Amino acid sequence: MAEGTAPASRYALSFTSGALLMREALIAAPLYLREHDWSKVRAMIEHDNLLQARTVASGQRFAREVTQRLAVLTDDEIELLIDATATERGHLLWAAACRRYDLIGEFAEEVVRERFLLLTSTLTYEDYDSFVRGKALWHTELAEAKDSTLRKLRSNVFRMLNEAGLLSDREHLLQAVLSQRVAGALSTRTPSELRFFPTSDRDTGRAER
C-alpha cells in the first residue's frame, strides 16, 4: 500500500450460512413493525426459538444474521418486504445483503452486473475467486481467512444469487426484471442500488405491480 494511503475498511465476513433468509425475514419483519427495535426482535426470536433452530447456537446465529440484514432496510422497505411477491422479496433481500456486506455489494456491481452488461452469460466460482484475490491485495482479512471460510462465503453468495433468481443452477446469469415499486425503492438511494443487479435501467419496472 502506498505511503499516505488510508487502509481499506475491513469487510464483514459473517455471511457463512443462511443464504437470503427469506423464511426468517418473514418472521422477523412483522415483529420489527410492531416493536421498532431490532435488539428486541432478536431477543424475542432467540428466546422463543421462532426460527425453529435445532440448537441454541444456530438459533442465535440466524437471529443475529436476519436482524442485521433487515436493519439496513428502511421502514418502508420492511413493509414492502412483507407485502412483496416472492420475486420482489428475493430482490429486496439480495439488495439487503449487498448493503450489509460490502464484499457482496462490490461483487454484484463489479462482476455480476458488469458481466451482464458485457453480454457474458455465465458466472462461475473462478470469477468469484479472481475477484476475491484482487480484493485480498487491500484487505488482509481476506488474505488471512481460512480456505474453508472462503469456500463457505463463496458458496453462500452463489446460493443467494440463485435464490434471488439472478443465477441458474447451470451458472447462467438471469436478467433481473425489477417491479416498479422495488426499482423505485432501490433507485432513490445514492448511488442507485440498481447497480447490484444484472439488468439495465430500461428493464426495470416491467415485472409484477
Side-chain angles (χ1 to χ4, degrees):
M1 186 177 297
E3 184 177 351
T5 301
S9 58
R10 292 179 64 85
Y11 286 131
L13 300 175
S14 60
F15 54 97
T16 54
S17 60
L20 283 188
L21 303 173
M22 285 202 260
R23 181 185 70 86
E24 293 82 357
L26 282 179
I27 293 171
L31 294 175
Y32 172 75
L33 290 182
R34 187 180 75 194
E35 302 293 337
H36 289 280
D37 185 325
W38 284 114
S39 62
K40 285 185 179 179
V41 171
R42 176 177 170 181
M44 292 168 63
I45 291 173
E46 292 181 2
H47 183 268
D48 296 327
N49 190 23
L50 296 179
L51 303 183
Q52 300 179 333
R54 294 182 180 180
T55 67
V56 172
S58 63
Q60 292 173 338
R61 183 172 66 254
F62 280 101
R64 178 183 66 249
E65 188 63 23
V66 71
T67 53
Q68 286 183 345
R69 291 213 209 150
L70 294 187
V72 304
L73 299 177
T74 66
D75 285 9
D76 286 343
E77 288 169 338
I78 293 292
E79 291 181 356
L80 174 55
L81 181 74
I82 294 172
D83 184 57
T85 66
T87 298
E88 289 175 320
R89 191 171 298 122
H91 292 159
L92 281 170
L93 290 174
W94 171 249
C98 290
R99 282 185 208 171
R100 170 71 180 93
Y101 296 105
D102 288 341
L103 182 67
I104 299 177
E106 290 171 17
F107 178 67
E109 180 178 8
E110 297 172 20
V111 181
V112 176
R113 181 174 171 84
E114 186 67 16
R115 288 180 72 80
F116 172 80
L117 293 176
L118 292 174
L119 304 180
T120 304
S121 62
T122 59
L123 182 74
T124 67
Y125 273 11
E126 178 53 37
D127 297 320
Y128 178 86
D129 290 344
S130 178
F131 164 81
V132 169
R133 285 194 296 270
K135 295 296 182 180
L137 297 175
W138 305 98
H139 289 268
T140 57
E141 65 274 19
L142 288 175
E144 296 169 356
K146 295 180 180 178
D147 287 344
S148 59
T149 298
L150 293 176
R151 287 194 297 270
K152 286 180 181 179
L153 296 175
R154 181 184 63 190
S155 176
N156 223 25
V157 169
F158 276 69
R159 283 182 61 201
M160 290 181 195
L161 283 163
N162 180 264
E163 290 184 6
L166 306 178
L167 187 70
S168 76
D169 293 335
R170 297 190 176 185
E171 300 180 331
H172 285 282
L173 281 172
L174 303 174
Q175 178 178 338
V177 182
L178 305 178
S179 69
Q180 289 183 352
R181 56 185 186 170
V182 170
L186 301 181
S187 62
T188 58
R189 299 181 70 90
T190 304
S192 167
E193 291 186 347
L194 299 180
R195 70 189 191 278
F196 295 146
F197 293 84
T199 188
S200 58
D201 291 344
R202 67 177 180 274
D203 296 321
T204 61
R206 296 183 185 175
E208 314 98 331
R209 285 184 273 181

